[in-house]
Amino acid sequence: MGEIKDFNCTYDNSAGISGAVTEGLGLTFPDAYLHADTMAKLSKALKEYDGAGFCELPFCHTVEAEALGGIINYGNDKTGPRAKEYIYTDVEELLNLPEIDFSTGRIHEVLLACKELREMGEHVVLEVSGPFTILNVLIDARYVFKGMRKKPEVMKQVFWKLGNEVLKFMEEAKKYGVELISYADSSGGVNILGPKMAEQVVEAFTYEFMKKVEGIADDKTMILLCPKTTFSLLGTEKAKFENVEIGESMRYGEACISLLGKVKFAGQMCIKNIDYHIENGKFKEVVLL
């Protein structure tokens, strides 16, 4: 077994939202985070401000948790939505979480915004959260870590309960035209869990979950992995990098778009690193073993 390397994440999910972006858009906050038309408008403005080749949605990592009953502080024009208060204190309670209804609420508005942007001809990156990030909204992390030590089988069931909802979210996103699905779970990175627990999570959940996610990638859909997830798979020898020739230097996001239908998993860099260039013409595909 190898060593799980960490990726130093410096790309905050709401870093791009500033007065320079929102000025003149006629948006009010936090209302703008709640409706498809305003989400699409803000996402397009952020894309143009950053000079990116794609639009990103949503503006936080709380959408799935809210759809599962989490309580959210919707923030303002400087800070996107975030957790307000926890609703659980025992990991076993999480086994009774409801299924997500994708036809209502903010999660539905996010999907509608994705569709609206696609109809404008935009490429859309939908950011989807992993179990630890979702749990961060629902329950204090100390109960999660206690559960992982004392009730590992219960936590495995919790991971899969949340993971199955995430899989459904990904499938739903495809129906709305999303081409690029970004999966991140930085709250479950090796820098937080430690090497031993991080390895246990890959064995109990992440690898098999990614095998299911692989089935979602197709000729119109690519999965973009947070490098933290990539490195956890590489470090446990569950995946490897394979070079894919792209023939020229280009930014990472543009390279992902150019390889739609050819590559299932990207993951060498954070998609939020807009100006990261692949200089040698070799894109690193993440291949599960």
Side-chain angles (χ1 to χ4, degrees):
M1 190 69 70
E3 176 190 354
I4 299 177
K5 296 179 181 178
D6 189 30
F7 176 78
N8 182 26
C9 180
T10 58
Y11 307 100
D12 184 76
N13 63 287
S14 59
I17 301 175
S18 67
V21 178
T22 58
E23 186 177 2
L25 293 179
L27 301 177
T28 57
F29 293 89
D31 189 65
Y33 299 128
L34 307 180
H35 308 287
D37 57 340
T38 50
M39 285 184 200
K41 191 174 186 179
L42 181 55
S43 180
K44 196 166 188 297
L46 282 165
K47 173 215 167 186
E48 291 168 355
Y49 181 81
D50 290 335
F54 51 85
C55 294
E56 290 180 83
L57 282 168
F59 310 109
C60 65
H61 298 297
T62 65
V63 170
E64 298 93 338
E66 182 183 32
L68 290 163
I71 301 171
I72 306 301
N73 177 340
Y74 291 119
N76 52 41
D77 60 333
K78 303 295 190 298
T79 307
R82 57 196 184 277
K84 186 174 184 180
E85 59 186 85
Y86 300 124
I87 57 175
Y88 296 106
T89 56
D90 187 332
V91 292
E92 292 198 18
E93 294 176 300
L94 298 165
L95 297 176
N96 297 318
L97 284 167
E99 292 185 5
I100 293 176
D101 181 354
F102 296 101
S103 67
T104 188
R106 190 158 58 105
I107 201 164
H108 181 59
E109 295 295 321
V110 169
L111 291 168
L112 289 174
C114 291
K115 183 180 180 182
E116 185 174 330
L117 288 166
R118 287 294 295 130
E119 289 173 349
M120 294 179 193
E122 300 288 349
H123 296 289
V124 178
V125 173
L126 176 68
E127 298 179 5
V128 173
S129 297
F132 283 97
T133 302
I134 296 172
L135 288 171
N136 257 358
V137 179
L138 302 173
I139 186 171
D140 192 308
R142 61 183 171 168
Y143 297 120
V144 174
F145 292 124
K146 182 180 178 181
M148 292 181 71
R149 292 193 306 271
K150 305 282 189 179
K151 303 176 181 177
E153 285 305 311
V154 171
M155 286 309 302
K156 183 176 180 178
Q157 292 177 58
V158 169
F159 291 148
W160 276 107
K161 185 172 184 64
L162 296 174
N164 286 329
E165 294 304 309
V166 171
L167 288 169
K168 286 189 279 187
F169 190 19
M170 291 180 173
E171 290 282 14
E172 201 70 21
K174 290 172 62 175
K175 298 175 188 176
Y176 288 79
V178 174
E179 302 165 298
L180 301 159
I181 300 173
S182 173
Y183 175 85
D185 200 13
S186 59
S187 297
V190 66
N191 60 314
I192 295 174
L193 300 183
K196 184 177 180 181
M197 193 173 286
E199 183 181 322
Q200 289 172 349
V201 172
V202 173
E203 295 287 349
F205 171 73
T206 311
Y207 176 64
E208 290 302 325
F209 176 70
M210 284 299 148
K211 294 291 266 186
K212 292 181 182 293
V213 171
E214 187 174 28
I216 291 171
D218 56 25
D219 61 338
K220 297 178 181 177
T221 314
M222 184 189 293
I223 311 299
L224 313 178
L225 298 180
C226 165
K228 285 181 180 285
T229 299
T230 299
F231 290 152
S232 71
L233 293 166
L234 295 174
T236 52
E237 299 176 1
K238 299 294 188 184
K240 64 178 181 178
F241 277 138
E242 282 191 0
N243 287 331
V244 177
E245 295 287 344
I246 54 175
E248 59 181 306
S249 170
M250 68 175 74
R251 293 191 299 178
Y252 183 57
E254 278 84 347
C256 290
I257 292 167
S258 74
L259 291 171
L260 278 165
K262 300 173 185 175
V263 165
K264 291 185 176 182
F265 287 111
Q268 70 192 87
M269 178 47 62
C270 175
I271 192 62
K272 291 182 179 295
N273 189 344
I274 302 294
D275 292 321
Y276 177 78
H277 274 75
I278 299 174
E279 299 289 358
N280 59 3
K282 296 183 188 298
F283 183 94
K284 292 187 181 297
E285 178 182 9
V286 180
V287 179
L288 298 179
L289 299 175

